Amino acid sequence: MKANPFIALSFILCLAFADCKQHQDARRPISRASGVFMKRSVERNKKLNASEEDLIKALMKKIQSLAIFHHLKAIGIIT
């Protein structure tokens, strides 16, 4: 019966030492991306940005011409 406290103590000490062991960090995956997705995304965004800029410029010209028209109408040049 005297072996039981010795076994229990040994078991507890083993658990304590195992718990103090340094934990390893998770391995990171090896990146094999070629960057093609990013290059295509950049090109697509450049085209989209250019078309939106053209649309905005066209709208600004239209608004400016409407503003001039309304101004001329307000001062009585255009009836």
Side-chain angles (χ1 to χ4, degrees):
M1 252 356 229
K2 289 193 176 200
N4 286 342
F6 179 72
I7 292 174
L9 183 61
S10 299
F11 182 71
I12 291 172
L13 287 174
C14 287
L15 285 178
F17 284 123
D19 193 37
C20 294
K21 182 181 135 183
Q22 297 267 340
H23 295 284
Q24 290 183 350
D25 292 334
R27 294 185 342 184
R28 296 184 181 186
I30 299 172
S31 178
R32 297 178 190 240
S34 62
V36 174
F37 173 77
M38 289 301 289
K39 290 177 185 175
R40 287 182 184 165
S41 178
V42 167
E43 290 301 318
R44 188 172 46 246
N45 287 336
K46 284 181 181 179
K47 289 178 185 176
L48 182 61
N49 190 19
S51 66
E52 288 177 349
E53 283 181 1
D54 293 340
L55 180 63
I56 290 170
K57 287 177 184 177
L59 287 172
M60 288 173 62
K61 285 181 182 178
K62 187 174 183 179
I63 290 171
Q64 187 178 15
S65 65
L66 285 174
I68 291 171
F69 174 76
H70 287 295
H71 177 69
L72 294 176
K73 190 172 183 182
I75 59 173
I77 296 176
I78 299 175
T79 56

